[in-house]
């Protein structure tokens, strides 16, 4: 994503209000606003010599990369289904790994589209706290906007989304600045380099997200910041990794995923 160039535009049909919103997005993201002028996104990108365009339409905000046929927009993915499973007594392996309960404070270091954070926020409730950091600026803005505006049915799901404190930042820089034992749980779900991700839903996120490795120092800061545990999500195809202080592993749904639990220091 860091090498991806893009502009902000609005819908094909002229609409002054959408143009106004698009200008605001452009200002916030510090990229040019370009009037759509009836052009297709592919044509607009060619004309402007950029890889992608963020389109602000009445329906949603979407990043389109025409040459790669990639479209990314916020949606909460499996969050509602997982919450429904919890309500139905089937549990959730991430929640089990975290030993999560009402009132807990969770730091999500790799927020992405905040699916995991939404499930965590639903569990910790109004008395708890979920703070999430996303390293990619555009993803962070899209997730913060989606969490604040996305409408979804399901008991307490929308409220759980609204309560998440979504921020832009690289956890490798943020964690060292956070006080010791500041959160019950510190959560990391980074992309591991050798992952062969099967999920179609994850592909656009993989295209945009940060892929830099998490180094030893960051794992140690995560353990320092956690009161109860650090939980690391891994997929079956992820590269082998020697994580420090492992005290447990919780198998995820369908066994493609596992949650590795690290002790605090
Ligand atoms: C696998 S996705 C996380 C998905 C997330 N758990 C969810 O439920 O939507 C990884 C995300 O973490 C972000 N990321 C990777 N390294 C990061 C870092 N050092 N600090 C903050 N975010 C990071 C990526 O940009 C990407 O959006």
């Amino acid at each position: 994503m860091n090498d991806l160039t893009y502009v902000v535009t609005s819908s094909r049909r002229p609409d002054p209000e959408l143009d106004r919103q698009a200008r605001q997005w452009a200002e916030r993201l510090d990229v040019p606003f370009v009037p759509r002028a009836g052009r297709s996104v592919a044509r607009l990108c060619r004309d402007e010599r950029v890889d992608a365009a963020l389109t602000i339409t009445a329906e949603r905000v979407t990043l389109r990369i025409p040459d790669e046929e990639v479209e990314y927009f916020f949606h909460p993915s499996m969050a509602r289904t997982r919450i429904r499973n919890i309500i139905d007594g089937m549990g959730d392996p991430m929640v089990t790994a975290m030993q999560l309960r009402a009132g807990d404070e969770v730091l999500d270091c790799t927020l992405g589209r905040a699916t995991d954070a939404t499930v965590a926020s639903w569990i910790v409730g109004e008395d708890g706290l979920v703070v999430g950091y996303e390293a990619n600026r555009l993803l962070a803005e899209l997730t913060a906007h989606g969490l604040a505006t996305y409408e979804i049915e399901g008991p307490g799901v929308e409220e759980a989304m609204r309560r998440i404190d979504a921020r832009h930042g690289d956890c490798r820089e943020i964690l060292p600045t956070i006080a010791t034992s500041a959160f019950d749980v510190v959560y990391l779900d980074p992309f591991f380099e050798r992952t062969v991700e099967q999920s179609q839903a994850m592909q656009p996120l993989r295209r945009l997200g940060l892929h830099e490795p998490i180094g030893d120092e960051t794992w140690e800061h995560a353990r320092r910041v956690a009161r109860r545990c650090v939980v690391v999500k891994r997929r079956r195809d992820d590269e082998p990794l020697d994580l420090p202080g492992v005290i447990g592993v919780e198998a995820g749904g369908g066994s493609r995923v596992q949650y590795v639990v690290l002790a605090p220091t």
Side-chain angles (χ1 to χ4, degrees), residues 197-239:
E197 183 56 64
Q198 302 295 321
S199 159
Q200 280 297 103
M202 281 287 282
Q203 293 302 349
L205 186 64
R206 289 192 69 78
R207 174 63 181 89
L208 301 181
L210 182 74
H211 290 250
E212 297 285 319
I214 302 289
D216 294 347
E217 210 184 311
T218 303
W219 296 121
E220 287 309 331
H221 276 295
R223 294 177 68 200
R224 179 185 60 76
V225 167
R227 287 194 285 272
R228 182 183 310 142
C229 60
V230 175
V231 172
V232 186
K233 183 177 185 175
R234 297 179 50 75
R235 293 163 186 82
R236 197 178 49 199
D237 297 319
D238 285 343
E239 64 190 15

Short mmCIF file of all heavy atoms in Angstrom, two decimals, residues 197-239:
data_model
loop_
_atom_site.label_atom_id
_atom_site.label_comp_id
_atom_site.label_asym_id
_atom_site.label_seq_id
_atom_site.Cartn_x
_atom_site.Cartn_y
_atom_site.Cartn_z
N GLU A 197 -3.21 -17.05 2.01
CA GLU A 197 -4.54 -16.72 2.51
C GLU A 197 -5.61 -17.17 1.52
O GLU A 197 -5.61 -16.75 0.37
CB GLU A 197 -4.63 -15.20 2.76
CG GLU A 197 -5.93 -14.75 3.34
CD GLU A 197 -6.25 -15.46 4.64
OE1 GLU A 197 -5.52 -15.28 5.63
OE2 GLU A 197 -7.25 -16.19 4.65
N GLN A 198 -6.49 -18.03 1.96
CA GLN A 198 -7.51 -18.56 1.07
C GLN A 198 -8.73 -17.65 0.99
O GLN A 198 -9.42 -17.62 0.00
CB GLN A 198 -7.97 -19.94 1.58
CG GLN A 198 -6.86 -20.97 1.70
CD GLN A 198 -6.27 -21.33 0.37
OE1 GLN A 198 -6.99 -21.44 -0.61
NE2 GLN A 198 -4.96 -21.48 0.30
N SER A 199 -8.97 -16.94 2.08
CA SER A 199 -10.21 -16.20 2.18
C SER A 199 -10.28 -15.07 1.16
O SER A 199 -9.46 -14.16 1.18
CB SER A 199 -10.36 -15.65 3.60
OG SER A 199 -11.26 -14.58 3.60
N GLN A 200 -11.26 -15.12 0.29
CA GLN A 200 -11.46 -14.06 -0.70
C GLN A 200 -11.67 -12.72 -0.02
O GLN A 200 -11.18 -11.70 -0.46
CB GLN A 200 -12.68 -14.38 -1.56
CG GLN A 200 -12.41 -15.38 -2.65
CD GLN A 200 -11.39 -14.87 -3.66
OE1 GLN A 200 -10.24 -15.26 -3.63
NE2 GLN A 200 -11.81 -13.95 -4.52
N ALA A 201 -12.39 -12.78 1.12
CA ALA A 201 -12.72 -11.55 1.84
C ALA A 201 -11.47 -10.84 2.33
O ALA A 201 -11.46 -9.63 2.50
CB ALA A 201 -13.64 -11.86 3.02
N MET A 202 -10.38 -11.60 2.54
CA MET A 202 -9.17 -11.00 3.09
C MET A 202 -8.28 -10.40 2.00
O MET A 202 -7.38 -9.62 2.30
CB MET A 202 -8.36 -12.06 3.85
CG MET A 202 -8.87 -12.36 5.23
SD MET A 202 -8.52 -11.02 6.38
CE MET A 202 -6.78 -11.33 6.70
N GLN A 203 -8.48 -10.75 0.74
CA GLN A 203 -7.53 -10.36 -0.30
C GLN A 203 -7.33 -8.84 -0.41
O GLN A 203 -6.19 -8.38 -0.41
CB GLN A 203 -7.93 -10.95 -1.66
CG GLN A 203 -7.81 -12.46 -1.76
CD GLN A 203 -6.40 -13.00 -1.48
OE1 GLN A 203 -5.44 -12.25 -1.39
NE2 GLN A 203 -6.30 -14.29 -1.31
N PRO A 204 -8.41 -8.03 -0.50
CA PRO A 204 -8.19 -6.59 -0.60
C PRO A 204 -7.48 -6.02 0.63
O PRO A 204 -6.63 -5.15 0.49
CB PRO A 204 -9.61 -6.02 -0.73
CG PRO A 204 -10.41 -7.15 -1.26
CD PRO A 204 -9.82 -8.38 -0.65
N LEU A 205 -7.78 -6.56 1.80
CA LEU A 205 -7.11 -6.09 3.02
C LEU A 205 -5.62 -6.42 2.95
O LEU A 205 -4.77 -5.60 3.30
CB LEU A 205 -7.75 -6.74 4.24
CG LEU A 205 -7.26 -6.25 5.61
CD1 LEU A 205 -7.59 -4.78 5.82
CD2 LEU A 205 -7.87 -7.08 6.73
N ARG A 206 -5.30 -7.59 2.45
CA ARG A 206 -3.88 -7.98 2.29
C ARG A 206 -3.17 -7.04 1.32
O ARG A 206 -2.01 -6.70 1.51
CB ARG A 206 -3.76 -9.41 1.75
CG ARG A 206 -4.14 -10.49 2.71
CD ARG A 206 -3.71 -11.85 2.19
NE ARG A 206 -2.26 -11.98 2.20
CZ ARG A 206 -1.56 -12.23 3.29
NH1 ARG A 206 -2.16 -12.38 4.45
NH2 ARG A 206 -0.26 -12.33 3.23
N ARG A 207 -3.89 -6.62 0.29
CA ARG A 207 -3.28 -5.73 -0.71
C ARG A 207 -2.91 -4.37 -0.08
O ARG A 207 -1.89 -3.79 -0.41
CB ARG A 207 -4.25 -5.53 -1.88
CG ARG A 207 -3.81 -4.51 -2.90
CD ARG A 207 -2.53 -4.94 -3.59
NE ARG A 207 -2.07 -3.96 -4.57
CZ ARG A 207 -1.26 -2.93 -4.28
NH1 ARG A 207 -0.85 -2.74 -3.06
NH2 ARG A 207 -0.88 -2.10 -5.22
N LEU A 208 -3.77 -3.91 0.83
CA LEU A 208 -3.58 -2.56 1.36
C LEU A 208 -2.77 -2.53 2.65
O LEU A 208 -2.10 -1.55 2.96
CB LEU A 208 -4.94 -1.90 1.64
CG LEU A 208 -5.88 -1.77 0.45
CD1 LEU A 208 -7.16 -1.08 0.85
CD2 LEU A 208 -5.22 -0.99 -0.68
N GLY A 209 -2.83 -3.61 3.42
CA GLY A 209 -2.27 -3.59 4.78
C GLY A 209 -0.75 -3.63 4.83
O GLY A 209 -0.08 -3.93 3.83
N LEU A 210 -0.23 -3.36 6.01
CA LEU A 210 1.21 -3.37 6.25
C LEU A 210 1.69 -4.80 6.46
O LEU A 210 1.09 -5.56 7.23
CB LEU A 210 1.53 -2.52 7.49
CG LEU A 210 3.01 -2.38 7.84
CD1 LEU A 210 3.69 -1.44 6.88
CD2 LEU A 210 3.17 -1.87 9.27
N HIS A 211 2.80 -5.17 5.83
CA HIS A 211 3.32 -6.54 5.92
C HIS A 211 4.67 -6.62 6.62
O HIS A 211 5.35 -7.63 6.51
CB HIS A 211 3.44 -7.15 4.52
CG HIS A 211 2.11 -7.43 3.88
ND1 HIS A 211 1.64 -8.69 3.67
CD2 HIS A 211 1.15 -6.60 3.45
CE1 HIS A 211 0.44 -8.62 3.12
NE2 HIS A 211 0.13 -7.36 2.97
N GLU A 212 5.07 -5.57 7.29
CA GLU A 212 6.38 -5.57 7.96
C GLU A 212 6.37 -6.56 9.12
O GLU A 212 5.38 -6.64 9.85
CB GLU A 212 6.69 -4.17 8.51
CG GLU A 212 6.80 -3.09 7.45
CD GLU A 212 8.10 -3.20 6.68
OE1 GLU A 212 9.13 -3.47 7.32
OE2 GLU A 212 8.05 -3.05 5.45
N PRO A 213 7.47 -7.29 9.33
CA PRO A 213 7.48 -8.26 10.43
C PRO A 213 7.44 -7.58 11.81
O PRO A 213 7.90 -6.46 11.96
CB PRO A 213 8.81 -9.01 10.24
CG PRO A 213 9.61 -8.19 9.29
CD PRO A 213 8.69 -7.31 8.53
N ILE A 214 6.87 -8.31 12.76
CA ILE A 214 6.86 -7.86 14.16
C ILE A 214 8.13 -8.42 14.80
O ILE A 214 8.31 -9.63 14.85
CB ILE A 214 5.60 -8.40 14.89
CG1 ILE A 214 4.31 -7.95 14.20
CG2 ILE A 214 5.63 -8.04 16.37
CD1 ILE A 214 3.96 -6.51 14.34
N GLY A 215 8.99 -7.55 15.30
CA GLY A 215 10.28 -8.00 15.84
C GLY A 215 10.22 -8.36 17.31
O GLY A 215 9.20 -8.12 17.99
N ASP A 216 11.31 -8.97 17.80
CA ASP A 216 11.38 -9.42 19.21
C ASP A 216 11.04 -8.31 20.19
O ASP A 216 10.36 -8.53 21.19
CB ASP A 216 12.81 -9.92 19.52
CG ASP A 216 13.13 -11.17 18.72
OD1 ASP A 216 12.20 -11.76 18.15
OD2 ASP A 216 14.32 -11.54 18.68
N GLU A 217 11.52 -7.11 19.88
CA GLU A 217 11.31 -5.99 20.81
C GLU A 217 9.81 -5.70 20.97
O GLU A 217 9.33 -5.41 22.06
CB GLU A 217 12.02 -4.77 20.22
CG GLU A 217 12.52 -3.80 21.27
CD GLU A 217 13.13 -2.59 20.58
OE1 GLU A 217 13.96 -2.80 19.66
OE2 GLU A 217 12.75 -1.47 20.92
N THR A 218 9.08 -5.79 19.86
CA THR A 218 7.64 -5.51 19.92
C THR A 218 6.90 -6.58 20.72
O THR A 218 6.01 -6.27 21.52
CB THR A 218 7.05 -5.42 18.48
OG1 THR A 218 7.78 -4.42 17.77
CG2 THR A 218 5.58 -5.07 18.50
N TRP A 219 7.29 -7.85 20.53
CA TRP A 219 6.64 -8.91 21.33
C TRP A 219 6.89 -8.63 22.81
O TRP A 219 5.99 -8.81 23.64
CB TRP A 219 7.18 -10.30 20.96
CG TRP A 219 6.90 -10.75 19.55
CD1 TRP A 219 7.82 -11.09 18.60
CD2 TRP A 219 5.61 -10.91 18.93
NE1 TRP A 219 7.20 -11.43 17.43
CE2 TRP A 219 5.85 -11.33 17.59
CE3 TRP A 219 4.30 -10.72 19.36
CZ2 TRP A 219 4.81 -11.58 16.69
CZ3 TRP A 219 3.27 -10.97 18.46
CH2 TRP A 219 3.52 -11.40 17.14
N GLU A 220 8.10 -8.20 23.16
CA GLU A 220 8.41 -7.95 24.57
C GLU A 220 7.61 -6.77 25.11
O GLU A 220 7.11 -6.82 26.24
CB GLU A 220 9.92 -7.71 24.77
CG GLU A 220 10.75 -8.98 24.64
CD GLU A 220 10.24 -10.15 25.50
OE1 GLU A 220 9.64 -9.92 26.56
OE2 GLU A 220 10.41 -11.31 25.06
N HIS A 221 7.44 -5.73 24.30
CA HIS A 221 6.62 -4.59 24.76
C HIS A 221 5.17 -5.02 24.92
O HIS A 221 4.48 -4.59 25.85
CB HIS A 221 6.75 -3.41 23.80
CG HIS A 221 7.95 -2.56 24.08
ND1 HIS A 221 8.11 -1.85 25.25
CD2 HIS A 221 9.07 -2.34 23.35
CE1 HIS A 221 9.26 -1.20 25.22
NE2 HIS A 221 9.87 -1.49 24.09
N ALA A 222 4.69 -5.85 24.00
CA ALA A 222 3.30 -6.33 24.11
C ALA A 222 3.11 -7.07 25.44
O ALA A 222 2.12 -6.86 26.15
CB ALA A 222 2.97 -7.24 22.93
N ARG A 223 4.08 -7.90 25.79
CA ARG A 223 3.99 -8.66 27.06
C ARG A 223 4.08 -7.72 28.26
O ARG A 223 3.45 -7.94 29.29
CB ARG A 223 5.09 -9.72 27.11
CG ARG A 223 4.92 -10.79 26.04
CD ARG A 223 6.07 -11.77 26.07
NE ARG A 223 6.07 -12.57 27.28
CZ ARG A 223 7.13 -13.22 27.75
NH1 ARG A 223 8.28 -13.16 27.11
NH2 ARG A 223 7.05 -13.92 28.86
N ARG A 224 4.85 -6.68 28.14
CA ARG A 224 4.99 -5.70 29.24
C ARG A 224 3.68 -4.93 29.44
O ARG A 224 3.26 -4.66 30.57
CB ARG A 224 6.13 -4.73 28.89
CG ARG A 224 6.41 -3.65 29.91
CD ARG A 224 7.46 -2.67 29.41
NE ARG A 224 7.06 -1.99 28.18
CZ ARG A 224 6.18 -1.00 28.11
NH1 ARG A 224 5.61 -0.55 29.21
NH2 ARG A 224 5.87 -0.45 26.95
N VAL A 225 3.00 -4.61 28.33
CA VAL A 225 1.78 -3.79 28.40
C VAL A 225 0.57 -4.63 28.88
O VAL A 225 -0.38 -4.10 29.44
CB VAL A 225 1.51 -3.15 27.01
CG1 VAL A 225 0.12 -2.56 26.91
CG2 VAL A 225 2.58 -2.10 26.70
N ALA A 226 0.65 -5.95 28.68
CA ALA A 226 -0.50 -6.82 29.03
C ALA A 226 -0.51 -7.17 30.51
O ALA A 226 0.52 -7.51 31.08
CB ALA A 226 -0.43 -8.09 28.19
N ARG A 227 -1.71 -7.10 31.12
CA ARG A 227 -1.86 -7.57 32.51
C ARG A 227 -2.11 -9.07 32.54
O ARG A 227 -1.56 -9.78 33.36
CB ARG A 227 -3.05 -6.87 33.19
CG ARG A 227 -2.82 -5.41 33.55
CD ARG A 227 -3.90 -4.93 34.51
NE ARG A 227 -5.19 -4.69 33.87
CZ ARG A 227 -5.54 -3.54 33.32
NH1 ARG A 227 -4.69 -2.52 33.31
NH2 ARG A 227 -6.73 -3.39 32.76
N ARG A 228 -2.98 -9.56 31.67
CA ARG A 228 -3.34 -10.99 31.69
C ARG A 228 -2.57 -11.79 30.66
O ARG A 228 -1.96 -12.81 30.98
CB ARG A 228 -4.84 -11.17 31.44
CG ARG A 228 -5.30 -12.62 31.49
CD ARG A 228 -6.77 -12.75 31.17
NE ARG A 228 -7.54 -11.83 31.97
CZ ARG A 228 -8.61 -11.15 31.54
NH1 ARG A 228 -9.07 -11.32 30.33
NH2 ARG A 228 -9.23 -10.29 32.33
N CYS A 229 -2.61 -11.34 29.40
CA CYS A 229 -1.93 -12.10 28.35
C CYS A 229 -1.84 -11.30 27.04
O CYS A 229 -2.54 -10.31 26.87
CB CYS A 229 -2.65 -13.43 28.07
SG CYS A 229 -4.36 -13.24 27.54
N VAL A 230 -0.96 -11.80 26.18
CA VAL A 230 -0.91 -11.35 24.79
C VAL A 230 -1.48 -12.50 23.97
O VAL A 230 -1.14 -13.67 24.23
CB VAL A 230 0.55 -11.08 24.35
CG1 VAL A 230 0.62 -10.73 22.85
CG2 VAL A 230 1.18 -9.98 25.19
N VAL A 231 -2.34 -12.20 23.02
CA VAL A 231 -2.88 -13.25 22.14
C VAL A 231 -2.47 -12.92 20.70
O VAL A 231 -2.64 -11.78 20.25
CB VAL A 231 -4.41 -13.38 22.29
CG1 VAL A 231 -4.98 -14.32 21.22
CG2 VAL A 231 -4.76 -13.88 23.69
N VAL A 232 -1.92 -13.94 20.03
CA VAL A 232 -1.44 -13.77 18.65
C VAL A 232 -2.22 -14.72 17.75
O VAL A 232 -2.22 -15.94 17.99
CB VAL A 232 0.07 -14.10 18.54
CG1 VAL A 232 0.58 -13.78 17.14
CG2 VAL A 232 0.87 -13.36 19.60
N LYS A 233 -2.89 -14.17 16.76
CA LYS A 233 -3.64 -15.03 15.83
C LYS A 233 -2.70 -15.50 14.72
O LYS A 233 -1.97 -14.71 14.13
CB LYS A 233 -4.78 -14.23 15.22
CG LYS A 233 -5.69 -15.02 14.29
CD LYS A 233 -6.81 -14.10 13.84
CE LYS A 233 -7.84 -14.78 13.00
NZ LYS A 233 -8.96 -13.85 12.72
N ARG A 234 -2.75 -16.79 14.44
CA ARG A 234 -1.92 -17.36 13.36
C ARG A 234 -2.77 -18.29 12.49
O ARG A 234 -3.71 -18.89 12.98
CB ARG A 234 -0.73 -18.11 13.95
CG ARG A 234 0.19 -17.17 14.72
CD ARG A 234 1.37 -17.86 15.35
NE ARG A 234 2.13 -18.73 14.46
CZ ARG A 234 2.97 -18.31 13.52
NH1 ARG A 234 3.17 -17.04 13.33
NH2 ARG A 234 3.62 -19.17 12.77
N ARG A 235 -2.40 -18.36 11.24
CA ARG A 235 -3.11 -19.25 10.32
C ARG A 235 -2.22 -20.45 10.01
O ARG A 235 -1.01 -20.37 10.13
CB ARG A 235 -3.51 -18.48 9.07
CG ARG A 235 -4.56 -17.42 9.38
CD ARG A 235 -4.71 -16.36 8.32
NE ARG A 235 -5.64 -15.31 8.76
CZ ARG A 235 -5.30 -14.30 9.55
NH1 ARG A 235 -4.07 -14.18 9.99
NH2 ARG A 235 -6.18 -13.39 9.92
N ARG A 236 -2.86 -21.52 9.61
CA ARG A 236 -2.15 -22.78 9.43
C ARG A 236 -0.93 -22.63 8.53
O ARG A 236 0.11 -23.23 8.75
CB ARG A 236 -3.11 -23.82 8.87
CG ARG A 236 -2.61 -25.25 9.02
CD ARG A 236 -3.62 -26.23 8.49
NE ARG A 236 -4.09 -25.85 7.15
CZ ARG A 236 -5.21 -26.29 6.60
NH1 ARG A 236 -5.99 -27.10 7.26
NH2 ARG A 236 -5.55 -25.92 5.38
N ASP A 237 -1.04 -21.79 7.52
CA ASP A 237 0.04 -21.67 6.54
C ASP A 237 1.08 -20.61 6.90
O ASP A 237 2.00 -20.38 6.13
CB ASP A 237 -0.54 -21.34 5.16
CG ASP A 237 -1.44 -22.46 4.67
OD1 ASP A 237 -1.07 -23.63 4.86
OD2 ASP A 237 -2.52 -22.16 4.13
N ASP A 238 0.90 -19.95 8.04
CA ASP A 238 1.88 -18.94 8.44
C ASP A 238 3.24 -19.58 8.64
O ASP A 238 3.35 -20.75 8.99
CB ASP A 238 1.47 -18.28 9.77
CG ASP A 238 0.34 -17.29 9.59
OD1 ASP A 238 0.09 -16.87 8.45
OD2 ASP A 238 -0.30 -16.94 10.61
N GLU A 239 4.27 -18.76 8.44
CA GLU A 239 5.63 -19.25 8.67
C GLU A 239 5.78 -19.64 10.15
O GLU A 239 5.14 -19.05 11.02
CB GLU A 239 6.63 -18.15 8.33
CG GLU A 239 6.48 -16.95 9.25
CD GLU A 239 7.29 -15.76 8.78
OE1 GLU A 239 7.74 -15.76 7.63
OE2 GLU A 239 7.46 -14.83 9.58
#
